[in-house]
Amino acid sequence: MSKPAVVIDPHFRSMGEIFSTADRQRLTEVVDVVWGRDEPMPVELAREALADARAVVCSGWRYGPVPTNVRAILDVSGAFPADLDYRACFTQGTRVLSAAPAFGPQVAEMALALALAVSRQVVDGDSALRAGTEKWLHAGNTGTFQLFDQPVGLIGYGSIARNLRELLRPFGCPISVYDPWLADGYLRSQGVSPVALPELLSSSRVIFVLASPTMENGALLSREMLEQIDSNSVLILISRAHVVDFDALTELLMARRFRAGIDVFPAEPLPADHPIRSAPGTVLSAHRAGSIQEALWEIGRMVVDDLEAVALDLPPQRLQQAQPELINRLVRYR
Amino acid sequence: MSKPAVVIDPHFRSMGEIFSTADRQRLTEVVDVVWGRDEPMPVELAREALADARAVVCSGWRYGPVPTNVRAILDVSGAFPADLDYRACFTQGTRVLSAAPAFGPQVAEMALALALAVSRQVVDGDSALRAGTEKWLHAGNTGTFQLFDQPVGLIGYGSIARNLRELLRPFGCPISVYDPWLADGYLRSQGVSPVALPELLSSSRVIFVLASPTMENGALLSREMLEQIDSNSVLILISRAHVVDFDALTELLMARRFRAGIDVFPAEPLPADHPIRSAPGTVLSAHRAGSIQEALWEIGRMVVDDLEAVALDLPPQRLQQAQPELINRLVRYR
Amino acid sequence: MSKPAVVIDPHFRSMGEIFSTADRQRLTEVVDVVWGRDEPMPVELAREALADARAVVCSGWRYGPVPTNVRAILDVSGAFPADLDYRACFTQGTRVLSAAPAFGPQVAEMALALALAVSRQVVDGDSALRAGTEKWLHAGNTGTFQLFDQPVGLIGYGSIARNLRELLRPFGCPISVYDPWLADGYLRSQGVSPVALPELLSSSRVIFVLASPTMENGALLSREMLEQIDSNSVLILISRAHVVDFDALTELLMARRFRAGIDVFPAEPLPADHPIRSAPGTVLSAHRAGSIQEALWEIGRMVVDDLEAVALDLPPQRLQQAQPELINRLVRYR
Amino acid sequence: MSKPAVVIDPHFRSMGEIFSTADRQRLTEVVDVVWGRDEPMPVELAREALADARAVVCSGWRYGPVPTNVRAILDVSGAFPADLDYRACFTQGTRVLSAAPAFGPQVAEMALALALAVSRQVVDGDSALRAGTEKWLHAGNTGTFQLFDQPVGLIGYGSIARNLRELLRPFGCPISVYDPWLADGYLRSQGVSPVALPELLSSSRVIFVLASPTMENGALLSREMLEQIDSNSVLILISRAHVVDFDALTELLMARRFRAGIDVFPAEPLPADHPIRSAPGTVLSAHRAGSIQEALWEIGRMVVDDLEAVALDLPPQRLQQAQPELINRLVRYR
């Protein structure tokens, strides 16, 4: 069987960044690689190549109309392409895929790391020992709590949430979910409880914000909503600052209304004088949850797995597929 | 059936510290409580009471010979009593029990919290944002690694290790164990690999020190042993400083030979000028892993569960039982 | 928000057969039920209703062209509709859904039940005791084996296989899979080993046939393939007889070449004089794996869960969705 | 370190029956084997050897007093030795161990196999097809039910029950336990619900009898108790007939009061004319649950694992240890 041609144009990512040596080898066994270089493919050349390609691996879409012979577009940036005619893709059956699920494990791990760092007061405890102001044993554990059996709330139930749920399993936490893009019955079938947002905020000891930015969820966590959070609870903001009224969050944290772990910010880099930098009871991280080099190879593994499927004219199974009902409701960054 | 008399003399712990309201109620339903106060029971009074008691709940042993009617001694301090005639207990069938397992979940959770704080550079990342020196995204993740699939080594395979193994399960880490008090075949039956100490140190990405102090393991982690650890690896010292050459450890950490999380120290409080206070790549904690108030109620729950058994003349199942082969090889602190 | 109209025309199934009382109540809360009776809806009436319907719940398709306002077709028969213009559905974005996954748990359970009945010789053992020819203890266990740690092969990796994998988990069996509709990389990501069919047959102690009938897999298990099976191995034929050369299978079983459990037959009812009826070492079942009344309510639950999604203009998640690459390769029975 | 002498005298079992080739090799590496033959060791010779032995591997005890140098007695029959001075053993700290746990996995598997054979009507379904009286699809499933989510009751919570609990885990069944030798609090800590026997019988869909015979539980399941069982429920009698009024059970089954799976009988072999042989709705097995040859090697593996411990003067961990509170309450067969 001859191998199908696939355009591989991952720039801004590089080939070595996303493909391990083993997966690069697999790639060439599975498809006829067109381009496959770190530099961006010249657009004219790409358009020509598309005419014979079964699929395209890219970061965003800058090649104009999608020929019907292209059965799949695999975006390795971590999001769906901004400038793509999705309607045409859906009509002609071109699958549009995002590598977002490749980030699930590492981001979920960081979400747990931040939650434990706050609940067990790891950062404050370390600072105190360095400053010589530590308190020993129980005296140092005022405000510390265990995660075991605590009610957990997940805002957004996508690939990060599913990975996090596995990491939380040994802690025995009952899990509530708010995700307006999933039906209640489906959530129940996953073993989690669908709840309204205010109830989730007021009843969860640890709240994880894991939602993709959509046209509808800007500042969803308004001041009024944030005020529902119990003073003993912890908010972990992993994805995305878009869904939070960040000014309100900052004020509430400065006033010690509750505690938090924060990995994403409304502006990055964060202004040097932003008050959140000195928020008490808060663990800060400079958008590092999903940016581990070795984890990027998971993108390549998933891409090759799905190209195996595409090469055999089978449905891809590993990357996230754009859905007609949702794609225009997602915020797509250029 | 009349309830058996049980002396409850938990001082230095208090009744309310170890028994939740519900368990205190259960306690009175299961046994006839003798004393049951926060103040230490006068020794003479205690000796008298022992003559009719089925069991004793205490912190250490200060009551002289153990009458044969006493079928179980339940020590709530977290260790086995120092001044007890164990030989007599074994001969007459008095079970000696320690509440150490009650600490397993909280200590294992802290071990994971410290491991993730080091591997994901949570503390350094927070400090950098507070100092305004943070690096964003990948640039801030130099030296960060994920726990998934990393080889883990456990030094000591008691109740902390068993709890930690459950918390590590979703990370898929292959687990090696060094525990000279457990046969290799038994360890294999637990799904872990028994290995020699040097091999464990050189081949594990994260090494957890979880061993009880024994007559044989003082400074087991000598300078020579510590030098086996790879520069990309992380040592988590949870239990106990006794097993480490702490001066050597301090020097190696100051020299950035590897990274560490440390909860226990050779002297506590730690001298104000101890160099470990400024060790780089290290997360420090002031012996706070096993000192959460709410977790002490687990002691009470286990004690009442085992008193239920003792009251019915059944073997207790929840606390750790002193073993003739091992009890004199443990370091027992007074 | 007004509820969308949905045509509910489940005949040959009845309303009470697929909807529990609770789900029937949920159904009326989620959508505006059109028809919803046990009798088949008159076609003209149905076509009229379709013009305003958001979705249709049916058994097969007998309503002609699909209006574009119909966003989902939910077939409750257990298969995809035979007489449907799939190309039109894909082009206009009408999702076509099958209730097949509702049968996964009960069929997987029966697969395990048959496997254990054969491996532990449950049926022969019972017959012997009834005939007075039983052998006791070890003498009765000649040919018996435990499932623990045995290599298992799955032919077909759809919803039955996924459910079965969960049931097999505590047995610790390494699992190989042959499924030409799934890429190797995807199978590996599921924790199973993709293998070629001959290797699966020769190396598995228990082989489960779980494949849907396709244009390509008729008599896939030919005589030559069946002869790869080891004499100590067990074949469980659950879905479907289509994939087996049944005459060859019968001859091999009559000759005691291996053992089997069989739930599906090339003709049902099976001719009274079919030789398989007296096959030794074989457990026979009259297509009862997926026909438990109470389990049909799982269909209704999944249907209502997915109608919740459709009513909110969200992608359905629970039923199986027709895929353009595969739908014309499936055998569709009328 | 010189290896300790251990008398290995397994008769009625043979060496090859309990030790795999690998474990026999391990055995000689771990201890100095004395005797180690299939024939019974002459008693005088054995007594002489005992004077220098660290441990004895045997089937029952026929060697007179236990010298204090013997630190462990490992009985490979599956029960504790009948004719042993346990009081002396406990006083002098000789551990007495039974290989019963080696049977846990295979017996638990058979318990599940019988439960599924009854609940899914596997045996009746096979018989019907052989007789030409089968009913197809739903018509053949009258009385069939799925195990998923059904309330399960375990009578006795020893090693079989613990193994069975793992096998039942994917079925999601809530589990109740009646075991008068375990405290309620301990059972709750295991994630099961302690209940009184009548409640267990009346509320469980599947009831597993897994209790060791004791001085107290003869005919525990009296006629009155058996009558608590719901007509839709299933009783699985695996261990032991001792705990059941077998005449009452037989009558109730003949009257189709409920259904059952039975592996153990009051007399074995069972009289040829015993009415249970024709009981309807019942699956019969001639005490075959714990008698698979290959599973006997698990005995040898556990024995060598525990001899590793004994050789190092450590507590054995794998076999079941005799407890002073219980040993005289067990029925010990000679």
Side-chain angles (χ1 to χ4, degrees):
Chain A
M1 194 168 60
S2 77
K3 295 181 289 183
V6 172
V7 171
I8 314 277
D9 180 28
H11 184 83
F12 66 93
R13 300 203 184 277
S14 67
M15 294 295 288
E17 179 184 322
I18 57 175
F19 295 110
S20 68
T21 308
D23 284 323
R24 193 147 180 184
Q25 177 62 29
R26 271 211 302 152
L27 179 67
T28 61
E29 288 163 11
V30 167
V31 301
D32 185 11
V33 173
V34 180
W35 194 249
R37 306 189 198 165
D38 292 348
E39 309 78 54
M41 191 175 190
V43 168
E44 283 314 306
L45 199 60
R47 287 193 180 168
E48 241 170 80
L50 254 59
D52 293 318
R54 178 82 64 90
V56 181
V57 175
C58 54
S59 292
W61 188 260
R62 52 195 182 82
Y63 319 107
V66 182
T68 57
N69 54 284
V70 172
R71 305 316 297 145
I73 294 167
L74 302 88
D75 188 308
V76 296
S77 72
F80 287 108
D83 299 298
L84 181 67
D85 182 349
Y86 284 91
R87 174 176 291 269
C89 289
F90 294 134
T91 302
Q92 73 193 33
T94 298
R95 296 180 185 267
V96 185
L97 303 162
S98 153
F103 295 87
Q106 63 174 309
V107 177
E109 183 185 86
M110 188 64 162
L112 178 64
L114 290 177
L116 290 172
V118 178
S119 65
R120 299 299 299 253
Q121 299 180 295
V122 170
V123 177
D124 286 353
D126 177 81
S127 300
L129 262 156
R130 292 178 185 277
T133 59
E134 81 277 7
K135 293 184 177 158
W136 291 83
L137 297 159
H138 303 82
N141 272 333
T142 321
T144 290
F145 66 91
Q146 296 178 92
L147 195 48
F148 294 100
D149 303 326
Q150 300 286 356
V152 161
L154 308 182
I155 299 175
Y157 192 73
S159 64
I160 302 171
R162 284 155 216 255
N163 278 279
L164 181 57
R165 186 189 57 172
E166 294 309 307
L167 300 185
L168 290 174
R169 207 175 285 280
F171 292 94
C173 306
I175 295 182
S176 298
V177 170
Y178 172 75
D179 189 329
W181 285 11
L182 292 169
D184 285 0
Y186 170 70
L187 289 173
R188 279 191 294 267
S189 79
Q190 296 284 303
V192 298
S193 303
V195 296
L197 184 56
E199 183 187 335
L200 183 146
L201 293 168
S202 62
S203 67
S204 302
R205 190 73 186 267
V206 185
I207 300 151
F208 291 94
V209 183
L210 311 169
S212 297
T214 73
M215 298 302 178
E216 303 137 16
N217 68 9
L220 172 74
L221 292 178
S222 61
R223 180 182 303 267
E224 190 188 343
M225 282 291 171
L226 292 169
E227 285 174 345
Q228 303 297 315
I229 298 174
D230 188 84
S231 63
N232 289 313
S233 293
V234 170
L235 180 81
I236 303 297
L237 178 59
I238 280 284
S239 170
R240 294 285 190 147
H242 168 91
V243 307
V244 181
D245 177 340
F246 206 85
D247 290 342
L249 175 62
T250 303
E251 283 179 38
L252 289 165
L253 291 175
M254 296 309 289
R256 299 179 182 274
R257 263 285 287 107
F258 50 82
R259 287 180 283 166
I262 302 177
D263 188 55
V264 286
F265 300 86
E268 297 177 359
L270 185 70
D273 58 353
H274 197 290
I276 195 81
R277 289 186 186 266
S278 59
T282 302
V283 177
L284 303 169
S285 169
H287 206 151
R288 296 166 46 242
S291 305
I292 299 182
Q293 171 48 53
E294 68 184 49
L296 294 178
W297 286 334
E298 187 66 13
I299 297 176
R301 189 173 311 119
M302 287 185 168
V303 162
V304 182
D305 289 350
D306 274 354
L307 288 178
E308 281 187 348
V310 170
L312 295 165
D313 199 21
L314 299 172
Q317 303 272 358
R318 302 214 61 203
L319 299 173
Q320 184 186 4
Q321 187 169 333
Q323 303 293 336
E325 296 89 342
L326 302 177
I327 191 68
N328 290 315
R329 298 160 70 184
L330 278 170
V331 173
R332 293 200 300 275
Y333 300 97
R334 271 181 193 82
Chain B
M1 191 168 63
S2 76
K3 295 181 290 185
V6 172
V7 171
I8 313 278
D9 180 27
H11 184 83
F12 67 94
R13 299 203 186 278
S14 67
M15 293 295 287
E17 179 184 321
I18 57 175
F19 295 111
S20 69
T21 308
D23 283 324
R24 193 148 180 183
Q25 176 62 30
R26 271 211 303 153
L27 179 67
T28 61
E29 287 163 13
V30 168
V31 300
D32 184 10
V33 174
V34 178
W35 194 250
R37 304 189 198 167
D38 292 348
E39 308 78 54
M41 191 177 191
V43 169
E44 282 316 304
L45 199 60
R47 288 191 178 170
E48 241 170 79
L50 254 59
D52 293 317
R54 177 82 64 90
V56 181
V57 175
C58 53
S59 293
W61 188 261
R62 54 196 179 80
Y63 318 107
V66 181
T68 57
N69 54 284
V70 172
R71 306 315 299 145
I73 294 167
L74 301 88
D75 188 307
V76 295
S77 72
F80 286 107
D83 298 297
L84 180 68
D85 183 348
Y86 284 90
R87 174 175 290 270
C89 289
F90 294 134
T91 302
Q92 74 193 34
T94 298
R95 295 179 185 268
V96 185
L97 303 163
S98 154
F103 295 87
Q106 63 174 309
V107 176
E109 184 186 85
M110 187 64 160
L112 178 63
L114 290 177
L116 290 172
V118 178
S119 64
R120 298 299 299 252
Q121 299 180 294
V122 170
V123 176
D124 285 352
D126 176 82
S127 300
L129 263 156
R130 291 177 186 278
T133 59
E134 79 277 6
K135 292 185 178 156
W136 292 83
L137 296 159
H138 305 82
N141 274 332
T142 323
T144 291
F145 66 91
Q146 296 178 94
L147 194 48
F148 293 99
D149 302 326
Q150 300 286 356
V152 161
L154 309 181
I155 299 175
Y157 192 72
S159 64
I160 301 171
R162 285 156 215 254
N163 278 280
L164 181 57
R165 186 189 56 171
E166 293 308 307
L167 300 186
L168 290 173
R169 206 176 286 280
F171 291 94
C173 305
I175 295 181
S176 298
V177 170
Y178 172 74
D179 189 328
W181 286 11
L182 292 169
D184 285 359
Y186 170 71
L187 288 173
R188 280 191 293 266
S189 79
Q190 295 284 302
V192 298
S193 303
V195 296
L197 184 56
E199 184 188 334
L200 183 146
L201 292 168
S202 62
S203 67
S204 302
R205 190 74 188 266
V206 185
I207 299 152
F208 292 94
V209 183
L210 311 170
S212 296
T214 73
M215 298 303 180
E216 303 138 15
N217 68 9
L220 172 73
L221 292 179
S222 62
R223 179 182 303 268
E224 190 189 343
M225 282 291 172
L226 291 170
E227 283 174 347
Q228 305 297 315
I229 298 175
D230 187 84
S231 65
N232 289 313
S233 293
V234 170
L235 180 81
I236 303 297
L237 178 59
I238 281 284
S239 173
R240 296 286 189 143
H242 168 92
V243 307
V244 181
D245 177 339
F246 206 85
D247 290 343
L249 176 62
T250 302
E251 284 180 36
L252 289 165
L253 291 176
M254 297 308 290
R256 297 179 183 273
R257 264 285 287 108
F258 50 82
R259 289 181 283 165
I262 303 178
D263 188 56
V264 287
F265 299 86
E268 296 177 3
L270 185 69
D273 59 353
H274 196 290
I276 196 81
R277 288 185 187 267
S278 58
T282 303
V283 177
L284 303 169
S285 170
H287 205 154
R288 294 167 47 241
S291 304
I292 299 182
Q293 170 50 51
E294 68 183 50
L296 294 177
W297 286 335
E298 187 66 13
I299 298 176
R301 189 173 311 121
M302 288 185 167
V303 162
V304 181
D305 290 349
D306 273 354
L307 287 178
E308 281 185 350
V310 170
L312 295 164
D313 199 20
L314 299 172
Q317 302 273 358
R318 302 214 61 202
L319 299 173
Q320 184 187 3
Q321 187 168 333
Q323 302 294 336
E325 295 90 343
L326 303 177
I327 192 67
N328 290 315
R329 298 160 69 184
L330 278 170
V331 173
R332 293 201 299 276
Y333 300 97
R334 273 184 189 79
Chain C
M1 193 168 62
S2 76
K3 295 182 289 185
V6 172
V7 171
I8 313 276
D9 180 28
H11 183 83
F12 67 90
R13 300 204 185 277
S14 66
M15 293 295 288
E17 181 184 319
I18 56 175
F19 295 110
S20 68
T21 309
D23 284 323
R24 193 148 179 182
Q25 176 62 29
R26 270 210 304 151
L27 179 66
T28 61
E29 287 163 12
V30 166
V31 300
D32 184 11
V33 173
V34 179
W35 193 251
R37 305 190 197 165
D38 292 349
E39 309 79 52
M41 191 175 190
V43 168
E44 283 315 307
L45 199 59
R47 288 191 180 173
E48 242 170 80
L50 255 58
D52 294 318
R54 177 84 63 92
V56 181
V57 175
C58 54
S59 292
W61 188 261
R62 53 196 181 78
Y63 318 107
V66 182
T68 56
N69 54 283
V70 172
R71 307 313 299 145
I73 294 168
L74 301 88
D75 188 307
V76 296
S77 71
F80 286 108
D83 299 299
L84 180 66
D85 183 348
Y86 284 91
R87 174 176 290 270
C89 289
F90 294 133
T91 302
Q92 73 193 35
T94 298
R95 296 180 184 267
V96 185
L97 303 163
S98 155
F103 295 87
Q106 64 174 308
V107 176
E109 183 185 88
M110 188 63 160
L112 178 63
L114 290 176
L116 290 172
V118 177
S119 64
R120 298 299 300 251
Q121 300 179 295
V122 170
V123 176
D124 285 352
D126 176 81
S127 299
L129 262 157
R130 292 178 186 276
T133 59
E134 80 277 7
K135 292 183 178 159
W136 292 83
L137 297 158
H138 304 82
N141 273 332
T142 320
T144 291
F145 66 91
Q146 296 177 92
L147 195 48
F148 294 98
D149 302 326
Q150 299 286 355
V152 162
L154 309 181
I155 299 175
Y157 192 73
S159 64
I160 301 171
R162 284 154 217 254
N163 278 280
L164 181 56
R165 186 188 57 171
E166 294 308 307
L167 300 185
L168 290 173
R169 207 175 283 281
F171 291 95
C173 305
I175 295 181
S176 298
V177 170
Y178 172 74
D179 189 327
W181 286 11
L182 292 169
D184 285 0
Y186 170 70
L187 288 173
R188 280 191 294 267
S189 80
Q190 296 284 302
V192 299
S193 304
V195 296
L197 184 57
E199 183 188 336
L200 183 146
L201 292 168
S202 63
S203 68
S204 301
R205 190 74 187 266
V206 185
I207 300 152
F208 292 93
V209 183
L210 311 169
S212 297
T214 73
M215 299 302 180
E216 304 138 15
N217 70 8
L220 172 75
L221 292 178
S222 63
R223 180 182 304 267
E224 190 190 343
M225 282 292 171
L226 291 169
E227 284 174 346
Q228 304 299 315
I229 298 175
D230 187 85
S231 64
N232 289 314
S233 293
V234 171
L235 180 80
I236 303 297
L237 178 58
I238 281 283
S239 173
R240 295 283 188 148
H242 168 91
V243 306
V244 181
D245 176 340
F246 206 86
D247 290 342
L249 175 62
T250 303
E251 284 179 37
L252 289 165
L253 291 175
M254 297 308 289
R256 299 179 182 272
R257 263 285 286 106
F258 51 82
R259 289 180 283 166
I262 302 178
D263 188 56
V264 287
F265 300 86
E268 298 177 1
L270 186 70
D273 59 352
H274 197 290
I276 196 82
R277 289 185 186 266
S278 57
T282 303
V283 178
L284 303 169
S285 169
H287 204 153
R288 296 166 48 242
S291 305
I292 300 182
Q293 170 49 53
E294 67 184 50
L296 295 178
W297 286 334
E298 187 66 13
I299 297 176
R301 190 173 310 118
M302 287 185 169
V303 162
V304 181
D305 289 350
D306 273 354
L307 287 178
E308 281 186 349
V310 171
L312 295 165
D313 199 20
L314 299 172
Q317 302 272 0
R318 302 214 60 202
L319 299 173
Q320 182 185 3
Q321 187 169 332
Q323 302 293 338
E325 296 89 344
L326 303 177
I327 191 67
N328 290 316
R329 298 160 70 183
L330 277 171
V331 173
R332 292 200 299 275
Y333 300 97
R334 273 181 191 81
Chain D
M1 194 168 62
S2 76
K3 295 182 289 185
V6 172
V7 171
I8 313 277
D9 180 27
H11 183 84
F12 66 92
R13 300 205 185 276
S14 67
M15 293 296 287
E17 179 184 322
I18 56 175
F19 295 110
S20 69
T21 308
D23 284 323
R24 194 147 179 184
Q25 177 62 29
R26 271 212 301 152
L27 179 67
T28 61
E29 287 164 14
V30 167
V31 300
D32 184 11
V33 174
V34 179
W35 193 249
R37 305 189 197 166
D38 292 348
E39 309 79 52
M41 192 176 192
V43 168
E44 283 315 306
L45 199 60
R47 288 192 179 170
E48 243 171 77
L50 254 59
D52 293 318
R54 178 83 65 90
V56 181
V57 175
C58 54
S59 292
W61 188 261
R62 53 196 180 79
Y63 318 107
V66 182
T68 56
N69 54 283
V70 172
R71 306 316 297 145
I73 295 166
L74 302 87
D75 188 307
V76 296
S77 71
F80 286 107
D83 299 298
L84 180 67
D85 182 348
Y86 284 90
R87 174 176 291 270
C89 289
F90 293 134
T91 302
Q92 73 193 34
T94 298
R95 295 181 185 267
V96 185
L97 303 162
S98 155
F103 295 87
Q106 64 173 309
V107 176
E109 183 185 86
M110 188 63 160
L112 178 64
L114 290 176
L116 290 172
V118 177
S119 64
R120 297 300 298 253
Q121 299 180 295
V122 170
V123 177
D124 286 352
D126 177 82
S127 299
L129 262 157
R130 292 178 185 278
T133 59
E134 80 277 6
K135 291 184 178 158
W136 292 82
L137 295 159
H138 304 83
N141 272 333
T142 321
T144 291
F145 66 91
Q146 296 177 92
L147 195 48
F148 293 99
D149 301 327
Q150 300 287 355
V152 161
L154 309 181
I155 299 176
Y157 192 73
S159 65
I160 301 170
R162 284 154 217 255
N163 278 280
L164 182 56
R165 187 188 55 172
E166 294 309 307
L167 300 185
L168 291 173
R169 206 176 285 279
F171 292 95
C173 305
I175 297 182
S176 298
V177 170
Y178 172 74
D179 190 328
W181 285 12
L182 291 169
D184 286 0
Y186 170 71
L187 288 173
R188 279 191 294 266
S189 80
Q190 295 284 302
V192 298
S193 302
V195 295
L197 184 56
E199 183 188 334
L200 183 146
L201 292 168
S202 62
S203 68
S204 301
R205 191 74 187 267
V206 186
I207 300 152
F208 292 94
V209 183
L210 310 169
S212 296
T214 72
M215 299 303 181
E216 303 137 15
N217 69 9
L220 171 75
L221 292 178
S222 62
R223 179 180 304 268
E224 189 190 344
M225 282 293 172
L226 291 169
E227 284 174 344
Q228 304 297 316
I229 298 174
D230 187 84
S231 63
N232 290 313
S233 293
V234 170
L235 180 81
I236 303 298
L237 178 59
I238 281 283
S239 173
R240 295 285 189 146
H242 167 91
V243 307
V244 181
D245 177 340
F246 205 86
D247 290 343
L249 176 63
T250 303
E251 284 180 37
L252 289 166
L253 292 175
M254 297 308 289
R256 297 179 182 274
R257 264 285 287 107
F258 51 81
R259 288 181 283 166
I262 302 179
D263 189 56
V264 287
F265 300 86
E268 297 177 2
L270 185 70
D273 59 352
H274 196 292
I276 195 81
R277 288 184 186 268
S278 58
T282 303
V283 177
L284 303 169
S285 170
H287 206 151
R288 296 166 46 242
S291 306
I292 300 181
Q293 170 50 53
E294 68 184 48
L296 294 177
W297 285 335
E298 187 65 14
I299 297 176
R301 189 172 312 119
M302 288 185 168
V303 162
V304 181
D305 289 349
D306 274 354
L307 287 178
E308 281 186 349
V310 171
L312 294 165
D313 199 21
L314 298 172
Q317 302 272 358
R318 301 213 63 201
L319 300 172
Q320 183 187 4
Q321 188 169 331
Q323 302 294 337
E325 296 88 344
L326 303 176
I327 192 67
N328 290 316
R329 297 160 70 183
L330 276 170
V331 174
R332 293 201 299 276
Y333 300 96
R334 273 182 190 79

